[in-house]
Amino acid sequence: MTSDVIIKKKNEVYLQLKTHPHIAYELSDHFTFDVEGAQFMPAFRQKYWDGKIRLYSPGTGEIYAGLREYIEQFCKERHYTYTYVDNNFFGMPDEENELISLEGVKSFTQKFSTIKARNYQYTAIYEALRKKRKLIVSPTGSGKSFMIYSIVRFLQETGQKIIIVVPTTSLVEQMYKDFDDYGWVSEEFCHKVYAGHEKISPKPVTITTWQSVYKQSIKYFECFDAVIGDEAHLFKAKSLTDILTKLHHAKYRVGFTGTLDGSKTNKLVLEGLFGPHEKITSTNELIQQGHLSRLKIKIIALKHQPIKFDTYHDEIDYLISHPMRNNFIKNLALDLGGNTLILFNYVEKHGEPLYELINSSVKSDRKIFFVHGGVDVKDREAIRSITENEDNAIIIASYGTFSTGINIKKLHNIIFASPSKSRVRNLQSIGRVLRKGENKNTAILYDIADDTSKDSIHPNYTLKHLLERVKIYNQENFDYEIINIKVKN
């Protein structure tokens, strides 16, 4: 071998590394990681799996193509030489679209859109088209759908066939509508895929939920030259990974996400599937620049009589069924001015009781909506549209349906009725309330926290989750205050 490591593109999903056996095992160790929370997963408990994820296979020499820069870094740190070789059909592993320039992107975007782009949007569009592989980290309200539209328009104009994968049917409909609003004719160029829709279309753009296509064969995906993943942080899931690894011919691979969860393993999986990540702006920057509403966070710490719970689920069951706690949430929602979104976790145990409690207490024509996974996508879209024309509607919604991607500009308040420590879920949920609307410059988050602990040295489960949320608020430079309230048992 002329070099220690020969790097060749097997297809658009994998690189194939040819190297000496000892280097192959070094690579295997370097790209092996412990999966967070593996000890709680059935496969680990039943000893079918060791709780690790391996991104490089010494047997096949395969590794995700998006990790090319990490392979270079590995070689440089150990003083191994490496060489790229061409695979004729798929090309060189480090190829870029040299015809793309930033000025060209600006000119193209201005020509095909009714929207005036912001500088960071031009940068993201340019990076995606130039590098062909990119994971764009851009928060809610940064105009992700517009950036996706601009990338799609360029690729469609150059004869590419594109598949856009989103997590929910609501987002299929919303993106389809957004493309119309930006100046295109979605009906002519875009095909929607979810339950009840044909999966195959001659149209250049397919917008689909991952649930609708993940069982399709590799043959189904061969026609696509480009894939765009919205809410890409979800693509670490096996079904979504299966989709990306079947797209052998898609040279353009672009993921968009509002935030990464902080795990190195998940970050490398996402970069492997799409490409190197790039954070183009932050929520705080968008607020400072006036693109998003100012955010106030009011942490309402409900102090309960001390109770020790054996498990997290025991504590949650106690809290979500607590009459005084649910009455507090009801009274808070009814007292707030403006449109309010209440987010919960459990439909039957918490969502339904909250809805019945609030709906039965309304003595006017105030609109109260209840949204969960069983509500038809057209009804969800209707609720979103109605809320945009209301001044004091209340939406009681599950995190799964309304924490991600839903765009309601006229949303003034959000209440976290169920505690969570997930960085992704919390930031995505906050994003629901930050969009600027008519006569709306400030948004308020009411973070309901619960203290059932006997002392500060041994906090209860959900209080620990609050501490994780506070870390997030500090990292994002969000303004918050803590209000302590005693609750009777």
Side-chain angles (χ1 to χ4, degrees):
M1 292 175 62
T2 55
S3 295
D4 296 314
V5 182
I6 307 295
I7 307 171
K8 182 179 180 180
K9 188 191 286 186
K10 179 183 178 182
N11 51 40
E12 299 300 341
V13 179
Y14 296 107
L15 299 179
Q16 201 157 35
L17 310 184
K18 185 178 180 182
T19 187
H20 305 286
H22 73 279
I23 297 177
Y25 285 108
E26 279 187 64
L27 280 162
S28 179
D29 287 341
H30 185 73
F31 288 102
T32 296
F33 305 94
D34 292 321
V35 174
E36 186 178 355
Q39 67 270 29
F40 304 113
M41 299 177 186
F44 180 84
R45 287 180 168 180
Q46 295 168 19
K47 298 183 179 179
Y48 295 133
W49 172 52
D50 63 359
K52 299 180 184 295
I53 186 169
R54 293 169 173 82
L55 301 179
Y56 170 74
S57 167
T60 64
E62 292 179 3
I63 189 169
Y64 288 142
L67 298 177
R68 179 181 62 82
E69 292 181 6
Y70 289 95
I71 297 164
E72 290 183 3
Q73 183 181 355
F74 168 90
C75 292
K76 289 173 183 176
E77 288 174 352
R78 291 158 180 78
H79 304 290
Y80 293 141
T81 57
Y82 60 91
T83 303
Y84 289 117
V85 295
D86 197 348
N87 168 347
N88 295 325
F89 184 80
F90 290 106
M92 291 289 285
D94 59 343
E95 67 178 318
E96 293 184 6
N97 191 341
E98 297 180 356
L99 299 177
I100 297 293
S101 68
L102 184 57
E103 288 306 313
V105 164
K106 288 183 178 180
S107 175
F108 180 89
T109 304
Q110 291 164 0
K111 179 180 177 182
F112 288 103
S113 175
T114 58
I115 305 293
K116 187 179 187 306
R118 304 165 191 166
N119 286 335
Y120 67 80
Q121 291 175 324
Y122 285 132
T123 301
I125 298 163
Y126 165 76
E127 286 289 329
L129 294 173
R130 173 87 179 189
K131 300 292 177 60
K132 298 185 179 180
R133 298 173 184 270
K134 209 71 183 176
L135 178 62
I136 305 294
V137 182
S138 189
T140 298
S142 59
K144 283 186 286 182
S145 62
F146 173 73
M147 290 183 271
I148 290 171
Y149 166 77
S150 299
I151 293 167
V152 166
R153 285 301 308 267
F154 178 90
L155 294 175
Q156 184 269 326
E157 287 286 322
T158 55
Q160 316 290 320
K161 191 171 176 67
I162 309 112
I163 184 169
I164 305 172
V165 184
V166 300
T168 65
T169 51
S170 296
L171 284 176
V172 172
E173 293 291 346
Q174 187 169 301
M175 190 161 291
Y176 189 88
K177 182 179 181 299
D178 285 344
F179 283 10
D180 270 332
D181 293 342
Y182 297 144
W184 215 15
V185 183
S186 294
E187 186 176 3
E188 182 178 346
F189 295 98
C190 301
H191 176 65
K192 296 181 287 187
V193 177
Y194 55 85
H197 291 251
E198 289 291 330
K199 291 181 170 52
I200 299 173
S201 169
K203 294 179 181 179
V205 181
T206 295
I207 309 174
T208 181
T209 61
W210 62 266
Q211 299 94 327
S212 300
V213 296
Y214 79 96
K215 290 183 179 179
Q216 297 298 306
S217 67
I218 291 176
K219 188 73 177 174
Y220 172 81
F221 294 98
E222 282 182 353
C223 65
F224 295 109
D225 307 294
V227 56
I228 299 175
D230 192 19
E231 308 299 344
H233 56 277
L234 301 173
F235 278 69
K236 61 195 178 190
K238 185 180 185 307
S239 298
L240 287 163
T241 302
D242 286 348
I243 292 174
L244 267 290
T245 52
K246 289 175 183 175
L247 285 154
H248 288 183
H249 292 234
K251 283 186 177 293
Y252 290 88
R253 312 171 76 88
V254 185
F256 281 86
T257 182
T259 183
L260 297 171
D261 69 2
S263 161
K264 184 177 182 181
T265 307
N266 292 333
K267 173 173 168 285
L268 287 178
V269 170
L270 289 174
E271 290 188 311
L273 293 170
F274 291 105
H277 85 281
E278 181 160 344
K279 185 174 182 178
I280 59 168
T281 188
S282 68
T283 297
N284 195 51
E285 287 172 344
L286 293 174
I287 292 172
Q288 296 301 321
Q289 294 163 8
H291 299 308
L292 295 179
S293 300
R294 292 190 299 273
L295 176 66
K296 291 183 180 178
I297 299 176
K298 296 187 178 184
I299 299 171
I300 301 176
L302 301 178
K303 178 63 178 176
H304 300 254
Q305 291 295 321
I307 305 175
K308 180 170 174 46
F309 297 96
D310 292 331
T311 68
Y312 168 74
H313 292 292
D314 288 342
E315 184 176 318
I316 289 296
D317 285 342
Y318 170 80
L319 293 174
I320 63 178
S321 61
H322 197 298
M324 297 296 291
R325 186 181 190 272
N326 285 337
N327 266 304
F328 177 84
I329 294 171
K330 175 202 73 174
N331 293 331
L332 173 62
L334 293 176
D335 288 344
L336 293 175
N339 294 324
T340 299
L341 172 64
I342 304 173
L343 290 173
F344 64 84
N345 259 337
Y346 305 98
V347 177
E348 294 180 359
K349 291 194 291 186
H350 200 201
E352 287 180 1
L354 272 179
Y355 171 70
E356 291 169 5
L357 189 63
I358 294 171
N359 195 44
S360 63
S361 302
V362 174
K363 295 182 171 59
S364 65
D365 60 352
R366 189 171 189 179
K367 289 184 169 59
I368 313 294
F369 301 107
F370 183 39
V371 183
H372 52 85
V375 176
D376 186 79
V377 63
K378 291 182 180 178
D379 292 333
R380 293 186 216 171
E381 178 61 22
I383 290 169
R384 187 184 75 85
S385 299
I386 292 168
T387 305
E388 292 286 23
N389 295 305
E390 292 294 318
D391 294 314
N392 63 347
I394 297 175
I395 302 174
I396 303 150
S398 64
Y399 277 100
T401 55
F402 257 59
S403 68
T404 300
I406 297 298
N407 179 8
I408 302 177
K409 293 179 180 178
K410 205 173 180 183
L411 194 60
H412 306 86
N413 314 294
I414 185 169
I415 299 173
F416 284 1
S418 298
S420 172
K421 65 178 180 178
S422 165
R423 177 181 179 81
V424 171
R425 169 178 279 188
N426 286 310
L427 290 177
Q428 291 285 343
S429 299
I430 289 170
R432 298 311 104 224
V433 79
L434 290 179
R435 298 183 188 276
K436 294 191 81 171
E438 187 178 351
N439 300 320
K440 175 198 165 188
N441 293 308
T442 301
I444 304 177
L445 161 64
Y446 296 88
D447 185 338
I448 309 296
D450 297 273
D451 182 1
T452 66
S453 56
K454 292 183 179 180
D455 54 61
S456 58
I457 300 174
H458 304 95
N460 55 293
Y461 295 104
T462 53
L463 195 59
K464 290 178 183 177
H465 289 184
L466 170 64
L467 298 177
E468 292 301 315
R469 294 198 296 278
V470 169
K471 285 182 186 177
I472 297 168
Y473 301 154
N474 285 325
Q475 289 166 358
E476 297 293 325
N477 294 314
F478 291 156
D479 178 27
Y480 65 90
E481 62 174 317
I482 301 175
I483 303 166
N484 294 295
I485 297 175
K486 284 190 177 182
V487 176
K488 293 180 181 179
N489 281 24

